[in-house]
Amino acid sequence: MRIEKGDGTKLSFFQDLYREARAECEEHYADLDKFYRQYKGTKDIEGSEVQAKLVRNITYELVESQVTSYLPNPSVSPRMWSEKNERNAKSVETLLKNKRNELPFEKMNDMDERYNPIYGGSVWLCEWDESITTHNTVGDVRITCLSPKHFTGQPNIYEIDDMEYCFVEFETTKEDIVRKYGMTPSIADETESDENADDKTATLYVCFYKNDDDKICQYVWSGDTELLDIEDYYSRKRYTCKSCGKRKELCDCEKPDYELQNDEYEELDRDIPLSGGQFIPAESEMIRDGKIVTEMQTRPMTGADGRILMRNAGGVMLPATEEVEVPKTEPTRLPYYKLTMLPIVIRKNTSQEDSLFGQSDCEFIRPQQDAINKVESRIIEKLMGSGVYPIVPNDFEDDIDNSLFTRVFRCKPNEVNQFGRIDLSVDISRDVTEAERLYDQAKRILGITDSFQGQHDASAQSGKAKQLQIQQAQGRLDSKRQMKNSAYADIDRLIFHYYLAYADEPRPATYKDAEGRMQNVAFNRYDFLERDEAGEWYYNDEYLFSADTSYDFERQRDLMWQENRLNFQQGAYGDPALPQTQLIFWLNMEQAHYPFAHDNVERVREEIRRQAEIARMQEQIAAKEAQAEQLAGEIESRKGYEDYLKGEISARNEQIQKGMM
């Protein structure tokens, strides 16, 4: 995007650009406000100045019935398989799963689940925040879920990656502006405040745009105050002295003049260990035009046995040397990874043509909501005006309880002989039928059944039939789940790219192995570095991101438990009588969040350990018994041999005695 200041400033250029983009989509934002008021239960009726007397908020009911706490599990696989790539994919997947628990995804998902059916989509802002530090790490990912009302995209562009610019606006405090942007309190007081907020808050406008070099840039302002202007948003920054050209940490100038520059490479001063046991050397072979550059070096000569050969130099024995051609080395320079996408992810409710966001549920059931409000207003008017009212003579002077009888009919004394009554009850059965018909229409439009809402459904006569009805309703809503999975996959990809670019320290993560034991793994951005034939180092970011297609446990846990029991009983895990098989069963139940499954896992493991100990002791006893039997056999054999020798000696003695005689 080319910035044309004209006679104005850069600030005025972005202010005008924002106003033009906002005005271009004015009708869209008017619809968003209308849909939100519909969700909140407004009494306004489309095309009428008369408000409804009563609102039956079916929009709120149908939107809330779709809200789920289901969070898609990240799934990462390498585009090109190798043992190294598979190990890296596992570390990324484990890191992302830990982020699901670490970041407030539950809170953001709760808002996101309402933004989508109301507005037709939601906006996710993913940023790297250097202020998030721990004892061992610097920087981490910060994610925010925003309403589409706070996002303004480039008009007539319907994919976020195709946009040249976009705007995000949000409220913050003026104290935060002082801390985050380094402004003085007097300048912060000049920032713009929302008309409904107090003077301690300010509205920030953030523009992400692509410059002529196709690099992502950021411009931030509030009111008529420029707060931040970054030409290359994703590049690493460093302060360099204009005089000596050295970094701020190495500069020795008396009066240094620093300027902020992009940091393109890091030069290693030590070997970098990798997760697979290898390392990136501090000195690498020099490669030019795809060939290794060599040089001649003098090295000691060695013999076949590896000993250094010696030579006689004037009566002095010195090591024999030779000239050897060896690769020439140079300090290893690793490039920093740079992101190329906007830090925005759009989740759509359901896709629609020529639209950045999806279709709003409020839009499609709005006619039914208006009609049902009219019918309910008519019902309440009939009921409030109907009743049984007394007839009394005009000269009747006793008090009548007006809280009970809102209307009293009077007549001349000569027209009635006694007190009477008039029944003005009305029939609202047809109105109620019409209201229910409109309600059923709205549910059918969105594909929601009574079983899906957990209400009584007489059409399902068995538990299996009710499960099938729920599954069928979820099938109608499968498009929304796919859009959610797709958005989370894009968020995961963006998180991965941030860690490749900025996570200098290994990031620890934990996971459970197949035996349910906790294991440690570390994400190390250097594991993704590779060197091509030309000698250039690059990051291998060729990984595929998707959402795990497992069931929504929040809605289908009963089905998962039932399937696990059935597999266990049918021997899918092995012999059900074996503790090892029972351990597999309870580990699966623990993964499906079955109550007290973890306790049963520990009990079965203890039983397996006890049986293993008994088996070991029995083996030891059997080994000792076998050793004792062997020893007894040897003793018996030795005793027999002794008896044999005694017999031989006796026989020889007898022969000797006979010979002497």
Side-chain angles (χ1 to χ4, degrees), residues 433-566:
T433 302
E434 178 62 17
E436 292 302 318
R437 189 177 73 89
L438 292 169
Y439 177 59
D440 290 338
Q441 285 180 3
K443 289 202 299 183
R444 286 196 297 270
I445 289 173
L446 300 181
I448 297 175
T449 64
D450 290 337
S451 296
F452 183 81
Q453 292 179 299
Q455 299 179 7
H456 173 70
D457 189 352
S459 62
Q461 300 298 326
S462 65
K464 188 65 176 179
K466 187 171 289 292
Q467 291 176 7
L468 292 175
Q469 284 186 342
I470 295 174
Q471 292 174 2
Q472 182 63 27
Q474 290 181 332
R476 286 282 305 276
L477 303 174
D478 188 62
S479 175
K480 298 182 179 182
R481 289 199 301 273
Q482 293 301 327
M483 291 294 99
K484 181 176 183 178
N485 292 342
S486 176
Y488 271 79
D490 291 339
I491 294 172
D492 292 338
R493 183 183 297 106
L494 196 51
I495 293 175
F496 167 60
H497 289 175
Y498 273 126
Y499 275 92
L500 279 186
Y502 305 117
D504 293 335
E505 309 84 10
R507 302 303 170 107
T510 59
Y511 70 96
K512 283 188 178 181
D513 61 12
E515 297 296 328
R517 295 171 297 192
M518 295 300 298
Q519 301 289 345
N520 294 321
V521 68
F523 174 89
N524 187 354
R525 69 180 178 90
Y526 295 103
D527 290 335
F528 298 84
L529 276 166
E530 297 183 6
R531 200 178 190 193
D532 60 18
E533 295 180 355
E536 296 293 331
W537 291 91
Y538 70 97
Y539 284 90
N540 179 15
D541 59 356
E542 297 294 319
Y543 291 85
L544 304 177
F545 291 81
S546 62
D548 192 353
T549 56
S550 59
Y551 285 117
D552 180 357
F553 289 145
E554 295 302 324
R555 291 190 177 272
Q556 304 217 16
R557 285 183 180 177
D558 291 341
L559 295 180
M560 293 298 298
W561 298 342
Q562 182 177 345
E563 290 295 326
N564 281 337
R565 292 192 192 97
L566 185 62

Side-chain angles (χ1 to χ4, degrees), residues 36-213:
Y36 181 73
R37 291 195 301 270
Q38 177 184 339
Y39 167 77
K40 296 295 287 185
T42 179
K43 293 184 178 182
D44 296 335
I45 297 177
E46 192 82 19
S48 175
E49 296 182 356
V50 180
Q51 290 189 332
K53 295 183 178 298
L54 178 67
V55 175
R56 180 183 176 184
N57 199 344
I58 63 172
T59 301
Y60 176 84
E61 178 183 342
L62 297 181
V63 166
E64 293 297 313
S65 65
Q66 301 177 63
V67 173
T68 173
S69 57
Y70 160 69
L71 291 176
N73 286 322
S75 177
V76 184
S77 59
R79 189 182 297 274
M80 183 67 70
W81 189 91
S82 69
E83 185 176 344
K84 175 184 176 182
N85 291 347
E86 185 67 26
R87 182 173 61 250
N88 288 345
K90 178 65 177 177
S91 67
V92 175
E93 186 175 305
T94 305
L95 176 71
L96 293 174
K97 288 181 179 179
N98 279 251
K99 285 299 167 187
R100 289 284 196 274
N101 299 326
E102 180 181 341
L103 298 176
F105 268 102
E106 289 81 4
K107 295 180 180 179
M108 292 187 293
N109 176 76
D110 196 60
M111 295 186 297
D112 183 47
E113 285 293 305
R114 291 166 175 83
Y115 286 159
N116 276 267
I118 296 173
Y119 301 122
S122 59
V123 180
W124 292 77
L125 175 62
C126 305
E127 301 174 289
W128 183 265
D129 191 348
E130 286 287 334
S131 66
I132 303 176
T133 60
T134 65
H135 183 71
N136 300 316
T137 61
V138 177
D140 210 333
V141 173
R142 183 184 297 277
I143 299 179
T144 309
C145 182
L146 301 172
S147 165
K149 295 192 294 184
H150 297 151
F151 176 83
T152 306
Q154 184 177 1
N156 304 318
I157 302 298
Y158 307 119
E159 292 293 335
I160 189 67
D161 292 334
D162 297 335
M163 290 185 177
E164 292 294 320
Y165 63 87
C166 64
F167 297 90
V168 175
E169 60 178 276
F170 55 91
E171 296 297 317
T172 186
T173 63
K174 294 183 178 180
E175 288 81 359
D176 186 62
I177 293 177
V178 173
R179 289 191 301 267
K180 188 173 183 180
Y181 300 103
M183 298 295 170
T184 61
S186 60
I187 295 178
D189 289 336
E190 297 175 0
T191 56
E192 176 184 346
S193 300
D194 187 87
E195 58 182 7
N196 297 323
D198 56 31
D199 57 356
K200 295 183 180 180
T201 63
T203 303
L204 286 185
Y205 299 90
V206 181
C207 178
F208 296 100
Y209 65 95
K210 300 177 182 177
N211 62 11
D212 294 338
D213 297 328

